[in-house]
Amino acid sequence: MLRIVKAELYKLFKNRTFRVLCGVTIVLSIMMMAMSSPFMEDVMVDSLGDISVEEKEAILSQMGAMTYEEQVVTPGKMGLNLVAKDPMNPTALEIYHSSFGAGLIEILIGILIAGFLAKEYSEGTIKNTLAYGKKRHEFYIAKFLAMIVGVAY
């Protein structure tokens, strides 16, 4: 059983789809950190136009105090949305949950599993593994463990 798990992990790390998706998640993480940086707050203040500083601060504080029901875009419905108590100063945990907890990670996991299994099916390694004498439940458990490692990585 340990040998088949090692083989699945080897195939996972040699898979091009896995490498590309790792790059995509790194880029998305960097984008989310950049969007929640203090620099973006300055950009947002500058984009408010020719109103007084007090009005700009009032608008920013009003945006920070909006409840979940008052938001124009509800998190999880479209795109990447930062859900934080203070949107201009989010914690690292809030950035992580906003980056990967809004439905995007599920899409990336689906692409990873589909790409991984499609490649193995087309190359015939699934058939060869089962023909070699491995039981199906061992094969499924090894695949499952490899995908858990891939998602956690």
Side-chain angles (χ1 to χ4, degrees):
M1 178 71 183
L2 186 60
R3 289 177 65 189
I4 194 168
V5 171
K6 285 182 182 179
E8 292 298 323
L9 289 174
Y10 177 79
K11 288 189 284 188
L12 174 70
F13 287 110
K14 293 296 180 182
N15 194 335
R16 186 182 322 161
T17 305
F18 177 70
R19 290 189 215 148
V20 169
L21 288 177
C22 285
V24 167
T25 56
I26 289 170
V27 168
L28 289 175
S29 299
I30 291 170
M31 284 175 47
M32 190 56 124
M33 287 189 299
M35 288 189 312
S36 61
S37 70
F39 171 73
M40 288 305 288
E41 184 177 356
D42 296 337
V43 170
M44 219 160 80
V45 168
D46 292 341
S47 70
L48 289 175
D50 297 330
I51 58 176
S52 67
V53 176
E54 294 82 20
E55 290 176 342
K56 288 181 182 180
E57 289 178 6
I59 290 172
L60 287 177
S61 65
Q62 183 182 8
M63 285 174 51
M66 289 177 81
T67 62
Y68 183 76
E69 293 82 24
E70 295 172 340
Q71 292 179 356
V72 176
V73 177
T74 55
K77 298 295 182 192
M78 53 188 280
L80 292 172
N81 301 299
L82 181 63
V83 180
K85 291 180 183 173
D86 183 11
M88 296 305 158
N89 298 314
T91 64
L93 189 60
E94 290 170 338
I95 290 174
Y96 176 80
H97 285 296
S98 295
S99 298
F100 301 114
L104 186 62
I105 192 70
E106 289 86 2
I107 294 170
L108 296 177
I109 290 170
I111 292 171
L112 173 66
I113 292 172
F116 188 60
L117 290 177
K119 181 179 179 188
E120 285 196 16
Y121 182 77
S122 66
E123 292 177 353
T125 55
I126 293 175
K127 187 172 93 174
N128 291 340
T129 303
L130 294 175
Y132 182 67
K134 297 293 181 185
K135 295 183 173 77
R136 285 184 187 266
H137 71 277
E138 290 177 358
F139 176 74
Y140 292 140
I141 290 171
K143 286 275 184 222
F144 183 69
L145 292 176
M147 287 299 117
I148 287 175
V149 169
V151 169
Y153 192 73

